[in-house]
């Protein structure tokens, strides 16, 4: 039913707030890959897993994770429908979708202002997850503020700030920010992260 994957515990002096991530995908191998990749890259995260959209909504309501990454094509309830339900019931939850066929679902995801990631480009989804976790940690501990180059995953608009705006000012996508490879407006200058 529900598997809880928690990162190794850090020394209490180093440990930041725990941020919960809900990963919903009917493919157990994809869930496992996402959980292990998130563990390798992101600290202070607990991953909750769901096999379908209905279970994702149930876990989302019971556990109240701050972030959810949902597969678009799942049994019982699709990812877009699950995301809309979670958004209505948990408006502060940061939601995104992933799929093996992003072209088919891009327009509907944009219509509902949901970031959509290609399963074949795992790096972009992980970058989004990392940024969302950092934003959640900053909300819990504001002393961790640091400016970062960011890019909207929907339209490519770039900014540099410590806490990304809820919506992209260009395309109005919600929580669509990912780490940018370079600072906005400084072409050819690579940022050091």
């Amino acid at each position: 039913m529900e598997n809880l994957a928690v990162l190794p515990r850090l020394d209490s002096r180093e440990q930041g707030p725990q941020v919960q991530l809900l990963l919903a995908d009917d493919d157990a191998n994809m869930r496992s890959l996402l959980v292990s990749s998130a563990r390798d890259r992101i600290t202070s995260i607990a991953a909750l897993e769901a096999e379908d959209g209905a279970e994702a909504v149930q876990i989302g309501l019971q556990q109240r994770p701050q972030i959810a990454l949902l597969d678009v094509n799942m049994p019982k309830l699709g990812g877009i429908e699950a995301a809309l339900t979670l958004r209505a019931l948990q408006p502060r939850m940061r939601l995104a979708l992933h799929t093996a066929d992003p072209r088919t679902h891009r327009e509907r995801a944009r219509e509902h202002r949901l970031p959509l990631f290609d399963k074949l480009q795992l790096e972009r989804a992980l970058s989004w997850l990392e940024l969302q976790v950092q934003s959640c940690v900053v909300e819990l501990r504001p002393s961790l503020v640091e400016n970062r180059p960011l890019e909207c995953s929907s339209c490519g608009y770039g900014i540099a700030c410590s806490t990304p705006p809820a919506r992209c000012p260009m395309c109005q996508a919600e929580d669509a920010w990912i780490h940018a490879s370079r600072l906005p407006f400084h072409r050819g200058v690579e940022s050091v992260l």
Side-chain angles (χ1 to χ4, degrees):
M1 172 88 106
E2 166 189 342
N3 297 321
L4 181 63
V6 181
L7 287 174
R9 297 194 61 86
L10 300 172
D11 183 330
S12 61
R13 294 176 306 244
E14 299 172 7
Q15 185 174 357
Q18 284 286 312
V19 176
Q20 287 189 327
L21 164 65
L22 172 59
L23 292 170
D25 198 308
D26 56 326
D27 181 352
N29 292 329
M30 178 54 79
R31 283 195 319 271
S32 178
L33 175 64
L34 284 166
V35 168
S36 65
S37 298
R39 280 186 198 169
D40 291 343
R41 184 167 173 167
I42 305 168
T43 59
S44 300
I45 189 170
L48 305 167
E49 298 180 36
E51 296 178 359
D52 58 57
E55 186 179 16
V57 170
Q58 179 183 8
I59 291 170
L61 293 176
Q62 291 173 349
Q63 300 294 322
R64 298 181 181 266
Q66 292 92 342
I67 306 165
L69 179 60
L70 312 168
D71 182 19
V72 172
N73 296 315
M74 291 187 290
K76 295 185 183 177
L77 186 64
I80 294 175
E81 293 76 16
L84 295 176
T85 302
L86 287 168
R87 180 185 282 163
L89 299 171
Q90 299 290 333
R92 294 186 53 116
M93 187 181 297
R94 298 158 189 260
L95 299 159
L97 305 167
H98 70 139
T99 182
D101 186 16
R103 289 183 184 178
T104 302
H105 304 286
R106 176 92 40 219
E107 193 57 41
R108 187 155 179 238
R110 280 188 181 155
E111 175 184 320
H112 294 291
R113 288 182 245 129
L114 292 164
L116 179 68
F117 299 101
D118 188 334
K119 285 184 179 183
L120 299 177
Q121 296 178 352
L122 187 59
E123 180 61 31
R124 291 182 62 81
L126 288 172
S127 181
W128 179 84
L129 285 173
E130 185 175 31
L131 183 63
Q132 300 311 309
V133 168
Q134 289 170 354
S135 294
C136 289
V137 169
V138 167
E139 288 174 8
L140 297 171
R141 288 187 39 201
S143 64
L144 300 175
V145 175
E146 176 184 324
N147 280 345
R148 294 183 172 88
L150 306 172
E151 179 180 304
C152 176
S153 65
S154 294
C155 71
Y157 180 74
I159 61 173
C161 64
S162 58
T163 305
R167 292 181 187 218
C168 173
M170 295 303 285
C171 69
Q172 299 300 310
E174 289 183 0
D175 295 322
W177 301 104
I178 60 174
H179 287 288
S181 60
R182 61 185 169 287
L183 293 171
F185 312 114
H186 292 83
R187 299 215 184 265
V189 178
E190 294 296 320
S191 65
V192 179
L193 296 177

